[in-house]
């Protein structure tokens, strides 16, 4: 595809598809050009370099996060919906966890989300500094929970590339880990109870909901206490 028939939007959307399939390590201009039937040099013309492409791709997926209308719901439900939308986006695109640690990420979609989160907490009654801290706490919590999902995707991708030998090593590692864990009473009880073990292994979604509720409960209590002190 000639350079002048490509668009930045095409390149970014194709990069997201490649990132979803291969992760950050699989993104390069040669692979991207192959998917677009274009020379790798054409990519640089539209997106400058890989760092800028990752930034553009990351901001594009931030646009997938729906923003609740804090004017039509209370702040607690709005914050819960916003955090849930962010978590869903990150688990759809787990490479963003690695990108967050290694790239300078910014753009209108990300800032649109950040601004709405601050609005939610300010409308709840937090001052600007408290709203900053509350929004940062929610973001950090969501990102931290998504790390496990991202690690599983990365592991499964590596297993698929390396075939049966890698799967055998993982099975051996799991067996060894179970044997070690059996030395600790609380872990042993969970391993010995098959239903509990199944629930434990499938915990990320329920754990996310539990932790988010606890975090928002804490913020609500701080707000109530601060308002009571002010009234007194």
């Amino acid at each position: 595809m000639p350079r002048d028939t490509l668009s930045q939007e095409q390149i970014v959307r194709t990069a997201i598809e490649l990132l979803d399939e291969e992760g950050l390590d699989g993104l390069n201009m040669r692979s991207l050009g192959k998917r677009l039937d274009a020379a790798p040099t054409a990519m640089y013309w539209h997106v400058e370099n890989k760092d800028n492409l990752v930034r553009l791709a990351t901001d594009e997926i931030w646009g997938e996060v729906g923003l609740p209308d804090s004017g039509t719901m209370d702040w607690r439900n709005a914050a819960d919906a916003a955090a849930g939308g962010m978590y869903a986006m990150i688990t759809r695109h787990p490479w963003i966890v690695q990108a967050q640690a290694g790239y300078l990420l910014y753009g209108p979609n990300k800032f649109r989300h950040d601004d709405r989160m601050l609005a939610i907490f300010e409308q709840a009654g937090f001052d600007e500094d408290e709203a900053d801290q509350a929004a940062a706490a929610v973001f950090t919590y969501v990102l931290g929970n998504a790390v496990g999902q991202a690690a599983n995707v990365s592991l499964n991708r590596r297993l698929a590339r390396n075939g049966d030998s890698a799967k055998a090593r993982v099975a051996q590692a799991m067996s060894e880990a179970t044997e070690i864990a059996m030395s600790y009473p609380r872990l042993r009880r969970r391993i010995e109870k098959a239903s509990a073990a199944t629930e434990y292994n499938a915990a990320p979604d329920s754990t996310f909901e539990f932790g988010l509720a606890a975090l928002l409960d804490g913020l609500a209590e701080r707000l109530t206490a601060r308002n009571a002190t002010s009234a007194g």
Side-chain angles (χ1 to χ4, degrees), residues 27-43:
L27 178 65
N28 57 68
M29 297 306 179
R30 185 178 298 277
S31 297
L32 193 56
K34 186 176 181 180
R35 288 192 176 219
L36 290 165
D37 191 24
T41 52
M43 308 299 108

Side-chain angles (χ1 to χ4, degrees), residues 3-23:
R3 182 178 68 192
D4 57 1
T5 62
L6 283 172
S7 69
Q8 185 183 92
E9 181 180 1
Q10 284 177 294
I11 294 171
V12 170
R13 291 309 308 175
T14 303
I16 292 171
E17 293 172 3
L18 182 58
L19 285 162
D20 288 346
E21 294 174 18
E22 303 291 339

Side-chain angles (χ1 to χ4, degrees), residues 51-52 54-56 58 99-107:
D51 281 18
N52 194 50
V54 171
R55 182 186 70 80
L56 292 168
T58 300
Q100 190 72 32
Y103 291 81
L104 295 172
L105 304 177
Y106 58 91

Side-chain angles (χ1 to χ4, degrees), residues 18 32 43 52 57 59 69 85 91 110 123 203 208-209 224 229:
L18 182 58
L32 193 56
M43 308 299 108
N52 194 50
D59 195 59
D69 182 357
T91 53
K110 177 62 165 62
Q123 290 171 16
F208 172 78
E209 294 166 358
T224 299
T229 300

Side-chain angles (χ1 to χ4, degrees), residues 17-215:
E17 293 172 3
L18 182 58
L19 285 162
D20 288 346
E21 294 174 18
E22 303 291 339
L24 272 174
D25 294 338
L27 178 65
N28 57 68
M29 297 306 179
R30 185 178 298 277
S31 297
L32 193 56
K34 186 176 181 180
R35 288 192 176 219
L36 290 165
D37 191 24
T41 52
M43 308 299 108
Y44 292 102
W45 177 264
H46 290 280
V47 297
E48 298 180 17
N49 52 48
K50 181 178 177 178
D51 281 18
N52 194 50
L53 177 57
V54 171
R55 182 186 70 80
L56 292 168
T58 300
D59 195 59
E60 182 71 18
I61 62 174
W62 272 105
E64 298 175 7
V65 182
L67 297 181
D69 182 357
S70 54
T72 61
M73 62 177 68
D74 63 69
W75 76 268
R76 173 65 182 265
N77 287 330
D80 185 78
M86 181 171 29
Y87 181 73
M89 180 273 288
I90 295 174
T91 53
R92 282 195 303 272
H93 307 287
W95 52 269
I96 194 176
V97 175
Q98 187 180 355
Q100 190 72 32
Y103 291 81
L104 295 172
L105 304 177
Y106 58 91
N109 288 325
K110 177 62 165 62
F111 290 158
R112 168 178 160 268
H113 175 273
D114 292 348
D115 191 75
R116 182 60 61 84
M117 289 298 291
L118 292 173
I120 288 170
F121 290 114
E122 286 182 3
Q123 290 171 16
F126 294 102
D127 63 32
E128 288 190 355
D129 288 341
E130 292 169 335
D132 287 343
Q133 293 168 341
V138 170
F139 175 75
T140 302
Y141 173 75
V142 173
L143 190 65
N145 267 264
V147 166
Q149 294 270 7
N152 285 336
V153 170
S154 179
L155 176 61
N156 290 333
R157 186 180 292 128
R158 185 160 64 86
L159 292 177
R161 285 198 301 265
N162 296 336
D164 291 339
S165 62
K167 293 179 182 178
R169 289 197 300 272
V170 170
Q172 180 182 353
M174 292 298 294
S175 177
E176 291 174 355
T178 300
E179 184 177 353
I180 295 170
M182 290 291 284
S183 300
Y184 300 91
R186 292 167 185 81
L187 298 180
R188 183 174 63 249
R189 285 199 298 272
R190 284 157 176 77
I191 292 169
E192 290 173 342
K193 293 179 181 178
S195 60
T198 300
E199 182 180 347
Y200 183 78
N201 289 333
D205 287 340
S206 60
T207 299
F208 172 78
E209 294 166 358
F210 176 86
L212 179 61
L215 174 59

